[in-house]
């Protein structure tokens, strides 16, 4: 099943999206780059190799295996009521996205998980390649959380894979440095996470990083009042304040980073527009 859905459809779709976004963010740049693009491409891709391999050989098989087993166990929300398969699929998709919103908050709030997620946030520019910059430790942690979510929701194996493809596509999209037409993005952001919204999550300003945790649908942040849209993109400094020395952020250091003493965040606050629900250009 993984081969027929994820490898046959997912991989070419995700590769296509990657190429399109790569061209778009080259032609229509949203935030000014501060680092060499080529250097970041190399660092982010090499750092991502172990996580990428684990995604394909551990996380996806584990989630599909649990979903298959669960068809016999009949455990989880979707087995508690009878309705059409379509409705169940929609509920599963939405709830899986909601659990990923919670997982992202835990990555920031649990000091042990922050060690790993920090690697993703130390990128000093934000673009398509940041979507791949994850430490393999974060991926191993997610197997337990996301596996439990699959069972608790009672999601079908094929839906696990469909969600995963959309999840990866959304991750590429909202990390990209693509300048969309502002009016269009404002509208789109009512439903899904867009580049301007996620750009604020990668800010060095603490209360901005502590917002916009959603992956696909943006309404989880609205629902829990963790949304913050009132920051102009040209005001954002990307990264983590105590890890801003480019020379330190080598591939080897990034792999080692979770196992070192984690530096405290130098807290800065931005005062300004009070309407946090209003997206800025
Ligand atoms: Zn984050």
């Amino acid at each position: 099943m993984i081969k027929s859905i994820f490898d046959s459809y997912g991989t070419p779709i995700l590769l296509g999206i990657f190429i399109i976004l790569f061209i778009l963010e080259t032609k229509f740049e949203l935030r000014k780059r501060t680092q060499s693009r080529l250097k970041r491409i190399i660092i982010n891709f090499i750092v991502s190799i172990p996580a990428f391999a684990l995604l394909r050989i551990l996380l996806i098989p584990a989630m599909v295996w649990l979903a298959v087993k669960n068809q016999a166990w009949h455990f989880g929300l979707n087995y508690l009521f009878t309705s059409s398969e379509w409705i169940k699929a929609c509920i599963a998709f939405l709830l899986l996205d909601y659990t990923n919103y919670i997982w992202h908050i835990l990555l920031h709030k649990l000091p042990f998980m922050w060690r790993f997620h920090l690697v993703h946030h130390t990128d000093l520019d934000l673009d398509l390649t940041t979507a791949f910059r994850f430490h393999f430790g974060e991926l191993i942690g997610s197997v337990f959380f996301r596996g439990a979510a699959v069972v608790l929701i009672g999601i079908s194996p094929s839906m696990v894979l469909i969600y995963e493809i959309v999840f990866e596509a959304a991750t590429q999209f909202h990390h990209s440095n693509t300048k969309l037409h502002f009016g269009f993005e404002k509208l789109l952001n009512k439903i899904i996470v867009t580049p301007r919204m996620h750009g604020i999550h990668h800010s060095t300003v603490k209360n901005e990083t502590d917002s916009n945790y959603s992956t696909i649908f943006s309404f989880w942040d609205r629902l829990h009042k963790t949304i913050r849209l009132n920051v102009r993109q040209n005001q954002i400094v990307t990264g983590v304040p105590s890890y801003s020395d480019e020379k330190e952020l080598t591939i080897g250091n990034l792999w080692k980073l979770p196992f070192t003493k984690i530096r405290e965040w130098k807290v800065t606050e931005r005062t300004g527009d009070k309407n946090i629900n209003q997206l800025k250009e």
Side-chain angles (χ1 to χ4, degrees):
M1 182 182 276
I2 297 174
K3 279 204 174 79
S4 68
I5 297 180
F6 195 82
D7 296 346
S8 310
Y9 293 100
T11 307
I13 290 171
L14 292 171
L15 193 66
I17 291 172
F18 178 85
I19 294 166
I20 292 166
L21 287 171
F22 191 83
I23 296 168
L24 284 176
E25 69 171 18
T26 307
K27 270 184 89 84
F28 310 101
E29 195 179 79
L30 177 61
R31 291 165 296 263
K32 247 193 162 49
R33 293 174 182 280
T34 61
Q35 310 289 309
S36 146
R37 191 179 187 189
L38 180 68
K39 190 178 164 193
R40 285 186 48 262
I41 289 175
I42 296 167
I43 292 176
N44 288 351
F45 280 124
I46 296 179
V47 165
S48 81
I49 293 170
F52 212 67
L54 284 172
L55 172 80
R56 182 59 188 82
I57 61 168
L58 177 68
L59 178 63
I60 293 177
M63 288 195 299
V64 172
W65 181 82
L66 283 166
V68 170
K69 285 283 169 198
N70 199 27
Q71 284 177 325
W73 301 335
H74 280 245
F75 195 82
L77 184 78
N78 264 346
Y79 291 103
L80 295 177
F81 62 96
T82 45
S83 88
S84 80
E85 284 308 308
W86 273 105
I87 291 176
K88 286 192 175 190
C90 288
I91 291 174
F93 191 95
L94 273 170
L95 287 182
L96 208 49
D97 198 49
Y98 183 51
T99 57
N100 276 312
Y101 163 82
I102 296 169
W103 174 236
H104 192 182
I105 290 185
L106 292 176
L107 288 172
H108 280 259
K109 303 296 175 198
L110 298 176
F112 181 72
M113 286 319 298
W114 171 245
R115 289 177 170 272
F116 299 96
H117 190 55
L118 169 64
V119 174
H120 175 65
H121 276 270
T122 53
D123 205 350
L124 299 173
D125 274 324
L126 184 68
D127 67 12
L128 188 52
T129 65
T130 316
F132 298 86
R133 181 187 175 115
F134 284 100
H135 194 278
F136 56 87
E138 178 178 334
L139 205 116
I140 294 169
S142 75
V143 174
F144 299 98
F145 186 89
R146 296 185 64 191
V150 164
V151 176
L152 287 172
I153 298 168
I155 191 166
S156 71
S158 53
M159 206 56 203
V160 166
L161 293 168
I162 292 167
Y163 178 82
E164 193 58 32
I165 295 166
V166 182
F167 175 90
E168 300 293 340
T171 303
Q172 286 193 43
F173 172 64
H174 65 230
H175 281 99
S176 82
N177 195 24
T178 304
K179 188 176 194 166
L180 298 172
H181 178 273
F182 183 58
F184 170 70
E185 178 163 346
K186 232 173 140 173
L187 211 66
L188 191 65
N189 185 244
K190 302 269 184 237
I191 307 162
I192 65 166
V193 181
T194 58
R196 283 179 172 94
M197 177 182 174
H198 197 72
I200 297 167
H201 178 69
H202 278 261
S203 161
T204 51
V205 177
K206 187 76 172 87
N207 62 346
E208 291 169 10
T209 309
D210 291 341
S211 59
N212 304 353
Y213 296 104
S214 303
T215 304
I216 299 176
F217 297 114
S218 59
F219 40 71
W220 308 124
D221 276 304
R222 287 177 213 280
L223 203 68
H224 291 285
K225 300 197 167 38
T226 49
I227 199 151
R228 188 172 293 272
L229 301 174
N230 60 343
V231 185
R232 289 188 184 280
Q233 296 296 307
N234 60 15
Q235 292 183 312
I236 298 174
V237 176
T238 301
V240 177
S242 40
Y243 293 91
S244 57
D245 184 359
E246 175 196 1
K247 288 187 233 61
E248 274 187 339
L249 301 170
T250 59
I251 294 163
N253 281 350
L254 288 170
W255 274 329
K256 277 188 288 188
L257 190 60
F259 314 105
T260 61
K261 186 174 176 342
I262 302 301
R263 297 173 199 160
E264 267 189 50
W265 193 296
K266 291 180 206 139
V267 177
T268 47
E269 297 272 332
R270 199 195 307 270
T271 48
D273 201 325
K274 288 282 171 283
N275 191 356
I276 56 169
N277 291 306
Q278 199 74 43
L279 190 68
K280 296 277 178 200
E281 270 198 278

